[in-house]
Each structure stands twice: as structure tokens, then as C-alpha cells.
Amino acid sequence: MTDSATSAGLPLDGITVVSLEQAVAAPIASRHLADLGARVIKVERIGEGDFARNYDAAVHGLASHFVWLNRNKESICVDLKSEQGRAAIIDLIATADVFIQNFAPGAAERLGLGAEALRSDHPELIVVNMTGYGTAGPLKDRKAYDMLVQAETGLCSITGTPETATKTGVPASDIAAGLYALTSVQAALFRRERTGAGATIDVAMFDATVEWLGHPMYMQMYQDTQIKRMGLSHASIAPYDAYPTIDGQILIGVQNDRGWTQLVTEVFGRPDLADHPRFATNILRVRHRGEVDALVAELTREFKTADLDDKLAQAGVPAAQLNDMKALLAHPQLEARDRWREVGTEAGPIRGVLPPMTFEDVEMRMDAVPALGQQTDAILGSLGRSVEQIELMRSSGIVQ
């Protein structure tokens, strides 16, 4: 069970969430609710549980996705196709404030876990249905993994190099949907405090990704322009790319004309370029991007990366080093801000990074990642099932 001392003082302390979840989209939403203090009970399948448990075995034998997305939760493992298992989960949801599910369209309804059925007895319940493409339209029944949604929305058409379309390196469509589910739950809880009313909320990965595509979508609608794939560059800003140095490369992103002046005068010592007739404004620099990039590359080649990084920072010019994951793990920004914590797992303690929501008065939860079905007996016991009943359910394969 959740340690009340761990969540005391957190914004969602006292809120209970039941989540019939798998993969990324729903688990990231529920994990952030747990980070904020909610008790989150994860309902998993008999046998394999959330299939993300088996993506890899990179973290002491556990899956990297799973340990990332499922700390702070409790796990109950139930056969929802059985009458007793389904009844137990319906009883559990009756004790909850929020129910989240991201199973295939119609699956929750077939199990008697649809929003209409659940809220008929508990109108104050907040139900979040997460899907790939929404509850209507020609794609509503299609499988919707992250890559497929990125492709279907056109995100892949603007991501990658000029030669190759690609998906993002993290599951952007999953994460987008999860964060919109998170904010929807928070808003619904706030409204319920004032009105007593629950909510039925639908969040589609497709819709969440489309929302993130505002800039390229408006460019297409009003300029009939398909944004080009630019690699590290930017379709509407220049200079904005990786540039060579004596010992590597550095990213520079100049977003306005003042920044261009600072770059060429304070960093490169070339004030003659500030008002150059081909480079003076961002519109001109984008129009003459090839010349601008070649010029900036010629000037950055005179510096070592660390020296140029310092000089750009002193001049207030946006810049960054192109790190890999190894460099991230050793990043001084994480160390200086004390972002690392220890998280418990069935395989022993692992490192984890604090959630990005930083409250001044209370630290976000960093509790353990549950083993499959770890809290099954305790949760069933809290619902009034006796030890004998639980053992009979286990011997019948209804719980694990």
C-alpha cells in the first residue's frame, strides 16, 4: 500500500486512481498523478501484465520503459474475463476518484467498465478513455502504436533529414496523449471540488499529436508550404544548426535580429556583418541560409568547443553542446540541482530523476516500481475479500 507519509503534503494526496493501462500513454499520465501524491492502482493481466514489462531487460533484468513509467504505483493482477475478477475491479473503481484506461476501443465497455456503466452509480467518478484515433471516424478501430500515429499525422514528414523521414527518438505521440490526460484529470478534479460533478474524458493520440503540429499545419493551410525536414536546423530561423569547431561541434540558435548582432559582434568580432544587406534580418538570413551557415561555420572553426560555448553564453547567444545519453547522465546541471534519487524495484535499487514539477514546499514522490501483482492480496483484502476467498481466486487462476 502507499505510505501516507510519502505523499502527505503533495497536491493529490488523498486521490485514488485506478488505471487499466499498458505501454506508454496511460502509464505516463498515471505516473505523474502518482508523483503528485495520488494513490495509483495499476490493473494488469494474468501472466505477462503490462506488455511493456517485457520490452527489454536492461535495468537489472527489468524493462527500461516499465521502470521509467511505473514507479509510485501498486499492481493488482486479475483475470478480467472472469466474473469474480471483473467484480473485484468494479468494486475497486467504486472506491476511486479517477479511472483511466487505454485498452482497444470498445474493450472496456465489453468488460462492463465503460464510462456510462461506471458513472451511472458513481456520477462523481472521472473516467479517462485513451485511444489512438478517437471514438469515431474511419481509423477508430485501427491499432495505433506511437510510430503509426506519428506517420498518420504527418509528424514524420517534418522530422529527420532532407533525405529521410523519421519518427522522433522518444514516443512523442504517446507522451503527448499522456500529458493531455494528466492535465484533463487535474482540471476535472478542480471542477469537481467546486461542482461535485465527475467527467468522461476522451484523449486520442492522434488529436494530441495534431495539436503539437500547429506551426507546420498553419504553414500548409495559409502558405501552401510543406515544412521541410531540416535535421538539427529550423525551417523559419537562421542561423540555427550545428556548426563545426576545432574539436567537435556546437549548436547555435539565433531567434531574432538582436541575437544576430550579438553573435557577429560580441562573439565573432565582425560588426560589419550585423547590418549586412543579405543577413540583417531573419527573413533575409533564411532566404540566404546556405551563405549564412557557411559563414558561421567558417567563424566557429576558429574555436574549441568549450571556449566557444563559454563565449556564446557570456554574449547571451543561445547555444548548446550536442550531448549523447552518456553525457546526459554526467550532466552538471542534474548534479548541481540534486535531481537524482534512488528508486526501489524487485531487482534492487535503481537511479531515477525527479519529475519536472518542482514544488518549493514538498518533493515529488519517488517510491518503488511494483512487481507484477505485488499488492493484489492487500487490495483485495481492502475490498472485503477474505484470505480464503483470495486463495481460492488464486488457485482458480483469477488473480496472480
Side-chain angles (χ1 to χ4, degrees), residues 195-230:
T195 69
T200 300
I201 301 163
D202 291 314
V203 177
M205 291 167 62
F206 185 85
D207 296 342
T209 310
V210 169
E211 172 61 31
W212 283 15
L213 290 168
H215 160 60
M217 197 164 54
Y218 279 110
M219 290 296 291
Q220 183 64 59
M221 279 194 291
Y222 293 102
Q223 290 290 317
D224 194 26
T225 299
Q226 164 72 31
I227 292 294
K228 296 179 180 178
R229 293 188 298 274
M230 303 290 292

Side-chain angles (χ1 to χ4, degrees), residues 86-107:
R86 195 162 52 249
I89 297 307
I90 290 173
D91 288 350
L92 179 61
I93 294 170
T95 71
D97 301 280
V98 180
F99 174 58
I100 301 172
Q101 66 87 17
N102 72 332
F103 275 30

Side-chain angles (χ1 to χ4, degrees), residues 303-374:
F303 296 87
K304 289 187 175 181
T305 304
D307 294 340
L308 181 55
D309 193 27
D310 288 341
K311 197 164 187 178
L312 289 162
Q314 290 170 13
V317 176
Q321 298 197 37
L322 188 59
N323 288 324
D324 57 14
M325 290 298 99
K326 187 174 182 179
L328 172 64
L329 293 176
H331 205 295
Q333 194 71 6
L334 292 174
E335 186 68 30
R337 296 173 61 241
D338 191 27
R339 302 300 293 174
W340 291 104
R341 294 292 182 274
E342 188 175 273
V343 176
T345 77
E346 60 186 300
I350 63 171
R351 295 173 76 196
V353 182
L354 279 169
M357 310 84 75
T358 303
F359 283 61
E360 184 179 18
D361 61 326
V362 63
E363 184 170 294
M364 297 296 99
R365 286 174 64 196
M366 293 289 285
D367 292 348
V369 178
L372 179 60
Q374 182 175 344

Side-chain angles (χ1 to χ4, degrees), residues 93 102 109 144 183 198 216 225 239 246 257 264 290 382 393 398:
I93 294 170
N102 72 332
E109 285 76 10
T183 57
T225 299
I246 291 172
D257 300 335
V264 296
S382 73
M393 292 172 75
I398 296 170

Side-chain angles (χ1 to χ4, degrees), residues 245-246 250-254 259-271 299-321:
T245 61
I246 291 172
I250 194 164
L251 271 67
I252 298 174
V254 171
W260 171 252
T261 298
Q262 291 170 316
L263 175 67
V264 296
T265 57
E266 299 179 36
V267 178
F268 296 146
R270 290 288 305 275
L299 295 167
T300 58
R301 281 192 182 94
E302 299 178 7
F303 296 87
K304 289 187 175 181
T305 304
D307 294 340
L308 181 55
D309 193 27
D310 288 341
K311 197 164 187 178
L312 289 162
Q314 290 170 13
V317 176
Q321 298 197 37

Side-chain angles (χ1 to χ4, degrees), residues 122-319:
H122 303 284
E124 76 286 355
L125 182 66
I126 295 164
V127 176
V128 183
N129 299 311
M130 302 187 68
T131 61
Y133 294 108
T135 57
L139 299 182
K140 70 181 180 68
D141 296 322
R142 292 279 292 273
K143 289 188 176 180
Y145 301 132
D146 179 83
M147 175 188 70
L148 308 178
V149 176
Q150 288 196 37
E152 198 72 46
T153 57
L155 176 56
C156 293
S157 77
I158 61 167
T159 306
T161 66
E163 297 78 24
T164 307
T166 187
K167 66 179 182 65
T168 60
V170 295
S173 294
D174 278 322
I175 295 169
L179 295 184
Y180 284 118
L182 169 68
T183 57
S184 298
V185 168
Q186 292 169 318
L189 286 168
F190 180 65
R191 185 179 71 175
R192 195 179 70 175
E193 282 295 305
R194 293 175 296 149
T195 69
T200 300
I201 301 163
D202 291 314
V203 177
M205 291 167 62
F206 185 85
D207 296 342
T209 310
V210 169
E211 172 61 31
W212 283 15
L213 290 168
H215 160 60
M217 197 164 54
Y218 279 110
M219 290 296 291
Q220 183 64 59
M221 279 194 291
Y222 293 102
Q223 290 290 317
D224 194 26
T225 299
Q226 164 72 31
I227 292 294
K228 296 179 180 178
R229 293 188 298 274
M230 303 290 292
L232 290 171
S233 190
H234 194 293
S236 302
I237 305 172
Y240 196 108
D241 211 331
Y243 298 95
T245 61
I246 291 172
D247 55 351
Q249 60 182 338
I250 194 164
L251 271 67
I252 298 174
V254 171
Q255 297 218 1
N256 52 51
D257 300 335
R258 183 177 65 257
W260 171 252
T261 298
Q262 291 170 316
L263 175 67
V264 296
T265 57
E266 299 179 36
V267 178
F268 296 146
R270 290 288 305 275
D272 56 300
L273 297 173
D275 297 318
H276 191 287
R278 297 169 71 81
F279 309 144
T281 69
N282 184 64
I283 292 174
L284 287 169
R285 290 192 297 275
V286 170
R287 188 177 301 160
H288 304 292
R289 181 189 300 277
E291 294 177 58
V292 171
D293 285 343
L295 174 63
V296 172
E298 180 183 341
L299 295 167
T300 58
R301 281 192 182 94
E302 299 178 7
F303 296 87
K304 289 187 175 181
T305 304
D307 294 340
L308 181 55
D309 193 27
D310 288 341
K311 197 164 187 178
L312 289 162
Q314 290 170 13
V317 176

